[in-house]
């Protein structure tokens, strides 16, 4: 059976042929090449379905040529294609095969770019290579391994080609373990909020703190946010975890206020997932009302890349928070492709200079220059600046010299549990 559009084998036939080859695999290797066309939707939207179909056919014809004797190729669905190539014994290493496919992707991109003007068609490819040791493998598993490598390729540069390796399975296992554990962890209150003090540069007084989440497993081991947050951002579960953290912080502040104890403003991190939701501002407003917390005690940190992803949505979110009287900072400033232009476009209140400017050892001249320029510029734009990752007296002194108003880092304190932070607050009265 054939796919009517491309003339390639149907997926069932492809699967059968691959299985047959695996069962009798000898010294030759089999390469499963899984590719999708990035931005294909753009062609359908711009040129219409007829052109889109023609492009798929053209791609299929080329794909069928492959780089070796292909014994079957199929369109899995939409713009996802898979081919099975044979690599004759002793001809090519796996890496050489990968490089050839990569070059083919680049050449194809150039050709398509000429034909479909201004298109940005690119190709993500995952490859799994089977040898004698794979004889017991199911064809379905080999294809899904190649598909997994394609997903890794998709997160990298354009036309990327990635070879499957077993460590990817470890990554997936860990991802499943983490994402499937979240609901129970929320129920059992396994997430803990830590607080990292922020200091006034001139007086070195405590003037606030950032709330940072940790996942304490029942066996006492900690999982840190850098590991689990990217995973639960993808699954969307970050929204529940963030709301849990916010609620804990509001509760903490309200208890202390009730007892007449000292409090300082606490800043909360906002995940990019909130940008696409409409209930963020309403939720924050409901927390302010429920816990009767003055808006001056809460701030939100949006990481720099969020602004770049979707400036419009970020602007709406900032405006919504400002309406509630809440300040907003641009987190991790300078860690990625910061656009200085954004600073004049977005009404943010605080810039948090990323810790990349403060590397280990003595301060570099170039970092000193950048820090002093950013602080200067922020001042002119009436934005407060805070530097993160301060670890030494030298760094602290330099920030004072250039007029950076606030500091945060291990030099003052690591993020600490609630009880320790309460002691820090009491000590700073
Ligand atoms: P971030 O917002 O940039 O937070 C600062 C991170 O830098 C924290 O790591 C903190 O422990 C670390 N840090 C602070 N001072 C120093 C220092 O002097 N030197 C060094 N080397 N590191 C320092 P942490 O707690 O592991 O958090 C990592 C990231 O996870 C955070 O980066 C933030 O993006 C995210 N995150 C943490 N908690 C939450 C949360 O509740 N919600 C969301 N959406 N993201 C969170
Ligand atoms: Ca932050
Ligand atoms: Ca940061």
């Amino acid at each position: 059976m054939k796919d009517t559009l491309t003339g390639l084998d149907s997926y069932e036939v492809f699967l059968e042929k691959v299985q047959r080859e695996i069962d009798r695999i000898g010294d030759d290797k089999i390469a499963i090449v899984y590719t999708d066309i990035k931005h294909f939707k753009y062609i359908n939207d711009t040129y219409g379905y007829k052109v889109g179909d023609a492009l798929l056919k053209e791609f299929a014809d080329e794909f069928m040529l492959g780089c070796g004797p292909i014994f079957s190729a199929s369109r899995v669905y939409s713009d996802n294609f898979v081919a099975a190539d044979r690599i004759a014994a002793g001809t090519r290493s796996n890496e050489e095969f990968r490089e050839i496919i990569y070059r083919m992707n680049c050449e194809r991109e150039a050709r398509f770019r000429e034909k479909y003007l201004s298109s940005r068609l690119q190709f993500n490819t995952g490859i799994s290579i089977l040898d004698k040791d794979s004889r017991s493998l199911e064809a379905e598993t080999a294809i899904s391994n190649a598909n997994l490598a394609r997903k890794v390729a998709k997160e990298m540069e354009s036309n990327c080609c990635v070879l499957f390796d077993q460590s990817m399975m470890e990554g997936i296992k860990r991802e499943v373990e983490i994402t499937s554990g979240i609901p129970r962890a929320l129920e059992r209150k396994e997430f803990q909020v830590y607080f990292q003090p922020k200091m006034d540069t001139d007086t070195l007084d405590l003037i606030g703190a950032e709330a940072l989440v940790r996942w304490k497993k029942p066996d006492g081991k900690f999982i840190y946010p850098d590991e689990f947050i990217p995973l639960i951002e993808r699954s969307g579960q970050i929204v529940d975890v963030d709301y849990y953290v916010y609620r804990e912080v509001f509760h903490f502040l309200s208890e202390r206020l009730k007892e007449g104890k000292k409090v300082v403003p606490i800043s909360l991190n906002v995940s990019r997932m909130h940008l696409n939701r409409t209930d963020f501002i309403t939720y924050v407003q409901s927390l302010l009302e429920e816990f009767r917390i003055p808006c001056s005690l809460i701030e939100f940190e949006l990481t720099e890349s969020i602004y770049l992803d979707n400036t419009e949505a970020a602007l709406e979110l900032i405006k919504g928070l400002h309406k509630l009287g809440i300040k907003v900072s641009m987190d991790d400033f300078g860690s990625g492709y910061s656009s200085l232009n954004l600073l004049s476009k977005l009404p943010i209140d605080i810039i948090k200079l990323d810790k990349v400017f403060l590397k280990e050892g003595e301060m570099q001249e170039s970092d000193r220059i950048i820090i002093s320029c950013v602080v200067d510029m922020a001042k002119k734009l009436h934005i407060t600046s805070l530097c993160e990752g301060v670890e030494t007296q030298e760094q602290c002194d330099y920030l004072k010299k250039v007029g950076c108003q606030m500091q945060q880092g291990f030099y003052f304190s690591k993020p600490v549990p609630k009880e320790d932070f309460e002691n820090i607050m009491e000590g700073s009265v």
Side-chain angles (χ1 to χ4, degrees):
M1 278 221 308
K2 301 276 181 197
D3 172 29
T4 44
L5 177 65
T6 60
L8 297 179
D9 284 338
S10 71
Y11 187 64
E12 289 70 28
V13 170
F14 177 78
L15 212 64
E16 268 171 36
K17 287 188 182 173
V18 173
Q19 192 64 60
R20 212 178 308 140
E21 292 296 322
I22 295 178
D23 293 344
R24 59 170 192 222
I25 196 165
D27 289 333
D28 290 356
K29 290 186 280 190
I30 300 172
I32 310 288
V33 181
Y34 199 124
T35 296
D36 80 299
I37 310 176
K38 206 171 179 176
H39 305 129
F40 174 67
K41 190 177 165 302
Y42 168 89
I43 295 290
N44 269 342
D45 291 349
T46 316
Y47 297 97
Y49 284 95
K50 233 177 170 173
V51 176
D53 284 353
L55 186 142
L56 290 176
K57 172 87 178 79
E58 189 177 342
F59 178 85
D61 291 345
E62 284 202 10
F63 198 53
M64 208 41 215
L65 296 175
C67 86
I70 281 192
F71 53 83
S72 179
S74 174
R75 184 164 68 110
V76 187
Y77 65 91
S78 178
D79 58 350
N80 279 236
F81 291 82
V82 65
D85 243 317
R86 189 171 293 120
I87 310 176
T91 53
R92 287 187 185 114
S93 70
N94 295 358
E95 180 52 28
E96 280 164 348
F97 182 84
R98 189 199 67 80
E99 271 177 29
I100 294 172
I101 299 284
Y102 173 69
R103 273 204 303 278
M104 286 169 63
N105 280 354
C106 293
E107 285 161 14
R108 191 187 297 122
E109 183 199 347
R111 247 180 298 137
F112 278 20
R113 193 187 289 265
E114 243 171 59
K115 194 157 175 189
Y116 304 93
L117 292 175
S118 78
S119 77
R120 291 167 54 224
L121 293 172
Q122 287 168 346
F123 308 95
N124 306 113
T125 302
I127 304 169
S128 82
I129 297 187
L130 319 178
D131 56 23
K132 273 194 293 223
D133 298 335
S134 324
R135 205 170 282 156
S136 58
L137 204 67
E138 300 270 334
E140 195 111 54
T141 311
I143 297 163
S144 108
N145 288 349
N147 189 22
L148 182 60
R150 175 190 65 88
K151 288 181 188 159
V152 174
K154 210 166 177 164
E155 284 174 17
M156 296 158 118
E157 56 177 292
S158 55
N159 291 324
C160 199
C161 266
V162 171
L163 284 172
F164 169 80
D165 77 72
Q166 212 53 41
S167 67
M168 288 174 191
M169 285 312 286
E170 298 302 314
I172 292 282
K173 258 196 235 150
R174 183 74 178 148
E175 182 162 353
V176 171
E177 204 181 300
I178 284 183
T179 50
S180 64
I182 295 280
R184 222 167 51 175
L186 282 166
E187 226 176 81
R188 296 182 178 178
K189 295 186 167 283
E190 287 173 12
F191 292 103
Q192 291 193 355
V193 181
Y194 274 47
F195 296 87
Q196 187 176 36
K198 295 179 185 172
M199 314 309 248
D200 177 279
T201 295
D202 285 328
T203 61
L204 296 186
D205 285 340
L206 175 80
I207 46 161
E210 173 175 5
L212 294 156
V213 68
R214 271 96 185 89
W215 182 354
K216 191 174 178 194
K217 304 282 280 187
D219 62 6
K221 282 195 191 127
F222 279 93
I223 310 184
Y224 285 86
D226 277 341
E227 182 180 2
F228 69 82
I229 287 192
L231 303 182
I232 64 169
E233 267 186 331
R234 253 186 271 163
S235 69
Q237 291 164 310
I238 183 67
V239 172
D240 296 331
V241 174
D242 269 352
Y243 284 180
Y244 177 88
V245 170
Y246 300 172
R247 188 161 266 282
E248 288 287 295
V249 169
F250 274 78
H251 181 251
F252 170 65
L253 286 172
S254 104
E255 290 298 301
R256 286 189 64 89
L257 285 172
K258 271 190 224 153
E259 290 163 18
K261 292 179 176 164
K262 177 174 174 170
V263 288
V264 290
I266 307 289
S267 62
L268 302 163
N269 287 288
V270 182
S271 153
R272 65 188 66 245
M273 289 301 295
H274 294 293
L275 283 195
N276 311 316
R277 296 172 59 99
T278 48
D279 64 351
F280 180 79
I281 298 293
T282 338
Y283 188 71
V284 175
Q285 186 171 15
S286 72
L287 287 174
L288 285 171
E289 286 162 8
E290 179 183 342
F291 291 98
R292 299 174 179 277
I293 301 292
C295 53
S296 58
L297 285 180
I298 296 292
E299 291 172 12
F300 280 96
E301 302 190 359
L302 274 81
T303 181
E304 169 189 86
S305 59
I306 290 189
Y307 297 95
L308 291 170
D309 285 353
N310 193 343
T311 315
E312 279 311 306
L315 183 60
E316 282 311 303
L317 198 130
I318 300 172
K319 280 188 190 157
L321 288 170
H322 278 174
K323 265 199 198 141
L324 298 178
I326 291 176
K327 285 188 185 155
V328 180
S329 37
M330 183 181 283
D331 200 1
D332 307 327
F333 185 82
S335 64
Y337 304 96
S338 19
S339 158
L340 294 178
N341 201 16
L342 273 184
L343 283 185
S344 60
K345 272 202 221 146
L346 296 167
I348 53 152
D349 307 285
I350 300 152
I351 292 182
K352 289 190 85 174
L353 276 88
D354 193 72
K355 42 188 176 290
V356 289
F357 298 117
L358 303 179
K359 299 174 193 96
E360 252 177 70
E362 245 179 67
M363 288 184 77
Q364 312 266 320
E365 189 53 23
S366 55
D367 290 332
R368 284 175 186 260
I369 294 171
I370 296 176
I371 293 174
S372 93
C373 286
V374 172
V375 170
D376 247 14
M377 186 178 55
K379 239 181 251 162
K380 288 183 183 129
L381 293 167
H382 307 290
I383 298 172
T384 305
S385 44
L386 178 152
C387 195
E388 295 188 279
V390 179
E391 291 185 359
T392 65
Q393 165 116 37
E394 184 206 2
Q395 294 167 346
C396 172
D397 290 345
Y398 181 72
L399 292 166
K400 183 165 185 167
K401 192 173 140 202
V402 297
C404 174
Q405 293 103 321
M406 299 193 271
Q407 306 190 24
Q408 179 182 345
F410 296 168
Y411 178 60
F412 307 102
S413 168
K414 291 200 168 177
V416 293
K418 187 173 78 178
E419 297 70 28
D420 295 359
F421 181 57
E422 295 197 274
N423 290 335
I424 294 177
M425 273 197 285
E426 300 303 336
S428 72
V429 178

